[in-house]
Each structure stands twice: as structure tokens, then as C-alpha cells.
Amino acid sequence: MTTGFTALSSARRTIALLVLTLSGCVTIPPNALKMTPDTLERRHLQTRRFDGIEEKKILAASAGVLQDLGFNIDESETKLGLIAASKNRSAVSGGQIAVAVLAAVLTGTVTPVDKTQKIRVSLVTRPAATATSMGVTSSWYVRVTFQRMVWNTDNQVTRIEAIDEPAIYQEFFEKLSKSAFLEAQQI
Amino acid sequence: MTAKHAITLVLMALALSAFGCASSTKQVLATGASAVQLRSFQSRAFDTTDSETTLRTIIATLQDLGFVVDKADADLGSVSATKLSGYQLRITVTVRPRGEKQILVRANAQYMDKAVEDPKPYQDFFTSLEKAMFLMAQQVD
């Protein structure tokens, strides 16, 4: 048991050292600022068109939905149709804990598990180019994007990722449609 | 003797901490590539004077590239955004009038904790942006 423990922790130290040396010469991935084949698909997933509503009203409705979901608004710029918001939440997952407990029983080492996450969102409105009547745009594209960072019980970052699950975007837009409708009806 | 040792140790620690502090604050005004070179590959001129539409197009392009917008200011003409994709990439894009008929767009990016000083990623960004603008991005000196 003791030798296993030492081997494991020394392996972990080696990895930590490797990560440190690697981070000394980090370079940006070649496709980081390029459109990729899934760019269009993601754009569709993250965008909806709303007709017959002013930009300010759709933004107000969006702020309402974000608040419903527990986000705090960090920034907004109405002139550019932007709302940026975030929330800190637990990232504890039952499955991960079960694996960690099993590992602890088998090896005697404590495996760090995910603990907290920061979820960020930006929501942007953009005039739908085809629809202006008397110079006033009443059709708007709303694009929303979510991302998150996850920290474990050792306070290390374990995930830095965009959130791409279609269901999340669908549900968000369902809520926004309802909210925008209420906004349009002035209820 | 021991007191002397202690004093020497304290002095050494002080000297070290002062040195450490000085060397990392140097980063505040540090640049890698020359300022002129950086500005050249971080900037492009577009034949438009509509800065609001330009900013909106920049925001849309950043969203296409997987960024979440952190903040934007129409009056200052700036947008900052972050991309999380196994890494953290931060970008700030500014617009300002260039002469009577053009807008100058400048981008600067930070990958993890380093400035992006390679021309290629900026080229990629402007290639995406010019498609969205329906305008040619012009190299400026």
C-alpha cells in the first residue's frame, strides 16, 4: 500500500512538472481563430429570429430569462445589443464521487473531484437584414453562447469548455420565446 | 553569531523578494515583438465609416469563432471576448476612424498567460471578419 502510494504521488509530481515545463512554451492552436466545418451548425443552434419586436424589448426579455436562470448580469451594451452574464454553481457529480471513493478504497489516495464551476453567457441581438419597415427594424436575430470553467477540490481547473449541448440552447430559446411574448403583450 | 546569521538571512530574503517583485512587474509594460510590427499585423483598414455596424459584425464574427463576449462599448469602440476550448483565449478588438472614409480595426489576443505575437492567428481573424463585413481587409503600415 505504501509503495503504491509513493509511486502514484511521484507520478503525479512528474506530470505536474511536465505541465509546468510545457506551459513555458505554450502556443495558440492553429485553428483557434479560424472558421471550422461546424461553425455554421453551431450558429444555427445558438441563433433564433424574433419578429415584430423592438431590440430593447427583446433584450429586456432576455435579461429576464437570464435572471430566471440565476445568472447575474456582468455587462450590457444596449447600443450593440449585448448582455454578458455569469453564475457560480456547484460542479459536484455523484458519479465522479463514487469513482473517487472506489479509488480511495483501492489505492489509499484521495482523488480530487470537481467542486465548483463558473458558467458564462453572452447574448447578442443583431438586425435581421431583410426586415426593415419605415427604417425601423422589427426582426432580430438573438444569438446566445454559453461556456464554463470547472475547478476541483484541489482548486485546480479541470475543464475549460464551450457548452455545446443542443438541448440547453433549445430550452433557453423556449423560455425566451415565452418571455418575449409576455414582453410584447406588456403583461 | 546566530544573530548575525539571522540578520543576513532576513536581508537575503528581503533582497530576493524585492528582486522577484521588480522582475514580474516589468511585465506591465513589456512587449515581445516591436510595437510597430505588432500594430501592423494586428490592424486592418475597412472602407466604411459605420463603426456601430462594424462593431456588431465583429461581435458576430467572434461568436462564430466560439467566443463569449465579455464586454463591449459602442462609444469607445471596443469589444472583449473569451474563448474556452481546453484553453483560454482572450481577445480585444477596437475600431476607430481612419481618415474620412475608413475604419481601422485592431485586435490583440492573449493565449493562456501569454500575448499572441504570431501574425497567423490575426490573419485568420481578419479573414473571417472580412467575409462577414463583405469588405476587403486592407493591410496598413
Side-chain angles (χ1 to χ4, degrees):
Chain A
M1 205 63 133
T2 333
T3 46
F5 176 82
T6 332
L8 219 121
S9 69
S10 82
R12 202 182 282 168
R13 222 171 295 143
T14 316
I15 290 170
L17 266 176
L18 264 176
V19 168
L20 271 178
T21 38
L22 282 178
S23 66
C25 52
V26 281
T27 50
I28 179 169
N31 288 330
L33 288 171
K34 264 189 182 165
M35 304 272 186
T36 55
D38 55 359
T39 298
L40 202 65
E41 195 186 321
R42 207 169 293 151
R43 190 193 293 165
H44 281 300
L45 176 67
Q46 298 170 342
T47 310
R48 291 292 183 280
R49 181 177 159 157
F50 290 83
D51 293 318
I53 188 166
E54 289 166 41
E55 184 174 36
K56 275 191 181 155
K57 290 204 168 139
I58 192 82
L59 280 170
S62 302
V65 173
L66 290 171
Q67 283 185 299
D68 288 344
L69 298 171
F71 283 94
N72 293 109
I73 294 174
D74 300 319
E75 284 284 331
S76 62
E77 173 58 291
T78 327
K79 286 183 201 161
L80 298 172
L82 168 74
I83 299 175
S86 64
K87 62 179 173 183
N88 296 323
R89 290 294 184 272
S90 161
V92 175
S93 107
Q96 216 183 26
I97 289 176
V99 172
V101 168
L102 193 68
V105 170
L106 291 177
T107 65
T109 48
V110 179
T111 321
V113 291
D114 288 345
K115 190 179 150 208
T116 54
Q117 59 180 327
K118 186 183 182 85
I119 304 170
R120 302 179 68 243
V121 56
S122 66
L123 183 141
V124 177
T125 50
R126 200 161 54 88
T130 48
T132 54
S133 68
M134 324 243 316
V136 179
T137 310
S138 62
S139 280
W140 297 90
Y141 289 121
V142 175
R143 181 165 186 177
V144 70
T145 41
F146 294 94
Q147 63 182 199
R148 66 172 186 159
M149 277 178 108
V150 181
W151 289 265
N152 68 13
T153 42
D154 282 357
N155 253 340
Q156 295 159 322
V157 175
T158 55
R159 282 166 180 276
I160 314 181
E161 61 188 14
I163 295 173
D164 283 330
E165 283 104 309
I168 288 179
Y169 290 93
Q170 276 150 19
E171 197 184 324
F172 178 83
F173 283 118
E174 273 165 32
K175 288 183 195 298
L176 181 55
S177 298
K178 276 181 204 153
S179 172
F181 174 73
L182 292 179
E183 199 72 33
Q185 300 289 311
Q186 293 287 342
I187 295 172
Chain B
M1 196 64 171
T2 32
K4 232 181 198 176
H5 272 294
I7 290 169
T8 319
L9 269 175
V10 169
L11 280 178
M12 273 173 72
L14 269 177
L16 270 176
S17 61
F19 176 76
C21 184
S23 69
S24 62
T25 48
K26 260 183 205 158
Q27 288 285 349
V28 175
L29 297 177
T31 55
S34 86
V36 179
Q37 239 183 335
L38 267 182
R39 196 175 301 175
S40 144
F41 57 67
Q42 290 180 342
S43 310
R44 293 290 187 281
F46 290 89
D47 287 335
T48 175
T49 51
D50 186 347
S51 70
E52 195 187 303
T53 304
T54 306
L55 281 167
R56 283 182 184 264
T57 311
I58 289 166
I59 291 174
T61 305
L62 289 172
Q63 285 191 303
D64 267 347
L65 294 171
F67 284 85
V68 164
V69 182
D70 306 321
K71 51 181 69 185
D73 187 323
D75 296 326
L76 182 62
S78 79
V79 180
S80 292
T82 302
K83 180 173 184 174
L84 303 182
S85 180
Y87 55 79
Q88 185 169 18
L89 177 61
R90 227 172 157 240
I91 194 166
T92 294
V93 187
T94 57
V95 303
R96 61 189 173 88
R98 182 175 191 265
E100 302 272 280
K101 292 175 185 153
Q102 285 190 319
I103 278 180
L104 188 77
V105 178
R106 179 169 182 180
N108 70 297
Q110 164 183 305
Y111 176 74
M112 306 305 255
D113 54 2
K114 268 196 165 169
V116 176
E117 295 183 336
D118 172 17
K120 187 67 179 45
Y122 295 106
Q123 234 169 48
D124 292 339
F125 171 72
F126 286 116
T127 303
S128 306
L129 182 61
E130 71 180 353
K131 275 181 205 151
M133 297 270 292
F134 300 113
L135 286 172
M136 285 285 287
Q138 298 161 35
Q139 192 93 39
V140 287
D141 299 314

